[in-house]
Amino acid sequence: MQKLTRIITLSVALTVVSGCSYVGVYKRDIPQGNLVTQEMVSQLQPGMTQEQVTYVMGRPLLEAPFDASQWDYVFRLDKAYGDVEQRRVTLTFGPQGRLVNIEQEGDLSAALPLDGESSMGPATEGVDPMDALPTESTRTPIPPSAQPVSQP
């Protein structure tokens, strides 16, 4: 009887320890690259300078190594329990450094499920860490009965 109890206990322990297939594994969406939206691309116009494009789109993820006249903005979202969504915008500049051509791949108008504010992890850029400190109004006042009495 005691041997049977040990075997069952050992079997249950091994199942629990190696049982990642029984307990769901947490997966997370993985966004990579430059976030590219239709609003950003609609602001681009032929004839814009590289500085103007950088102001609207940010720095490109990829620049052609031998020819700086082509910039690629690539965004890839690997959904934890779904497919991979990829967006790509290729911008071509002329000899004077002006925007000549805009090529798009992927559905730029679709909303992306990026919920960085509600997820756990480090604070996002632009958040003041001092906001997490308690303010002066949260201090509890000392009751009159607990204040020290001065003697004459």
Side-chain angles (χ1 to χ4, degrees):
M1 181 69 175
Q2 204 173 29
K3 191 172 188 177
L4 181 62
T5 306
R6 285 184 186 174
I7 291 173
I8 292 174
T9 306
L10 182 62
S11 299
V12 169
L14 286 175
T15 303
V16 169
V17 171
S18 66
C20 289
S21 61
Y22 296 112
V23 179
V25 176
Y26 175 73
K27 292 184 180 181
R28 185 175 184 153
D29 293 346
I30 302 173
Q32 296 176 323
N34 299 89
L35 179 60
V36 180
T37 63
Q38 186 62 45
E39 295 173 13
M40 295 167 66
V41 176
S42 63
Q43 294 179 21
L44 297 176
Q45 300 172 1
M48 293 177 78
T49 64
Q50 291 180 343
E51 291 82 20
Q52 291 171 326
V53 171
T54 303
Y55 180 76
V56 173
M57 300 284 291
R59 295 293 307 158
L61 182 65
L62 302 169
E63 290 184 37
F66 302 110
D67 184 17
S69 67
Q70 183 173 340
W71 290 0
D72 288 318
Y73 293 86
V74 180
F75 180 77
R76 178 182 164 103
L77 178 62
D78 188 1
K79 297 179 184 174
Y81 300 101
D83 297 333
V84 176
E85 182 177 335
Q86 184 166 335
R87 300 175 175 189
R88 182 182 187 132
V89 175
T90 302
L91 305 177
T92 307
F93 294 92
Q96 294 84 19
R98 301 277 181 174
L99 183 62
V100 177
N101 190 21
I102 303 169
E103 295 179 26
Q104 301 178 23
E105 293 179 24
D107 185 12
L108 301 179
S109 61
L112 292 172
L114 299 176
D115 55 345
E117 294 299 320
S118 64
S119 65
M120 297 292 290
T124 57
E125 185 176 331
V127 175
D128 186 11
M130 298 303 284
D131 290 340
L133 296 176
T135 61
E136 291 292 325
S137 64
T138 59
R139 299 171 100 185
T140 55
I142 299 173
S145 61
Q147 291 181 355
V149 177
S150 60
Q151 295 180 356

